[in-house]
């Protein structure tokens, strides 16, 4: 007699490779620049991967999965264990951390705007 075992029913993440990559990177709090540096590619390459304009080769994808601490199977096909939910078991702590991250981004953006403004003024004066 043959015994047939069914695999446990798991939900497949139907997002694209780029979508899974982007969500996983965001959930892990790794910046584009940091991931690019750790994988050995340009930041624009990561952006292209996340926007599904191109795909990494298997070696790079394996390295990305390792850096983001997800399985290669999940990253490629959405099958298996997904990364931990961004909110996690303590929603208040997670949201507080996200707000702090946004504050740092906001502060950095303000500094960039100020530098650009000064540069525009300098160029208008003909320096």
């Amino acid at each position: 007699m043959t015994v047939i075992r069914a695999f446990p029913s798991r939900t497949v993440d139907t997002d694209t490779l780029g979508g899974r990559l982007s969500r996983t990177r965001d959930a892990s709090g790794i910046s584009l620049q940091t991931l690019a540096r750790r994988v050995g590619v340009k930041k624009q390459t990561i952006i292209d991967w996340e926007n599904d304009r191109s795909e990494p080769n298997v070696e790079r994808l394996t390295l990305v999965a390792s850096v983001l601490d997800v399985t290669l199977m999940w990253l490629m096909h959405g099958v298996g264990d997904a990364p931990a939910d961004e909110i996690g078991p303590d929603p208040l702590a997670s949201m507080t951390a996200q707000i702090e991250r946004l504050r740092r981004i906001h502060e950095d953006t303000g500094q960039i705007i100020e530098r650009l403004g000064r540069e525009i003024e300098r160029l208008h004066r003909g320096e």
Side-chain angles (χ1 to χ4, degrees):
M1 177 157 100
T2 304
V3 176
I4 301 174
R5 283 191 164 169
F7 289 102
S9 170
R10 290 191 184 185
T11 307
V12 174
D13 187 321
T14 58
D15 201 352
T16 64
L17 169 69
R20 285 188 295 276
L21 174 58
S22 176
R23 287 190 350 254
T24 305
R25 185 183 56 74
D26 285 343
S28 66
I30 296 176
S31 71
L32 285 165
Q33 189 65 41
T34 300
L35 181 59
R37 183 175 34 78
R38 291 184 68 188
V39 175
V41 298
K42 294 179 180 179
K43 179 178 159 184
Q44 185 60 50
T45 302
I46 302 292
I47 293 169
D48 289 345
W49 293 347
E50 288 187 356
N51 290 315
D52 295 307
R53 286 189 221 119
S54 66
E55 291 185 356
N57 64 33
V58 175
E59 291 82 15
R60 293 271 190 228
L61 194 57
T62 302
L63 188 53
V64 168
S66 175
V67 168
L68 297 177
D69 196 28
V70 293
T71 65
L72 186 58
M73 185 62 75
W74 184 84
L75 199 53
M76 289 175 63
H77 305 289
V79 176
D81 295 326
D85 186 357
E86 203 170 329
I87 296 299
D90 186 355
L92 184 58
S94 178
M95 287 186 282
T96 301
Q98 289 177 32
I99 285 175
E100 285 307 312
R101 211 169 130 214
L102 286 171
R103 283 188 178 131
R104 286 191 305 273
I105 291 169
H106 179 73
E107 182 179 312
D108 291 345
T109 303
Q111 291 172 357
I112 292 168
I113 290 170
E114 286 179 26
R115 276 189 300 228
L116 287 171
R118 287 192 303 268
E119 185 65 19
I120 288 171
E121 288 175 17
R122 188 184 69 76
L123 290 171
H124 276 299
R125 290 190 307 261
E127 294 179 6

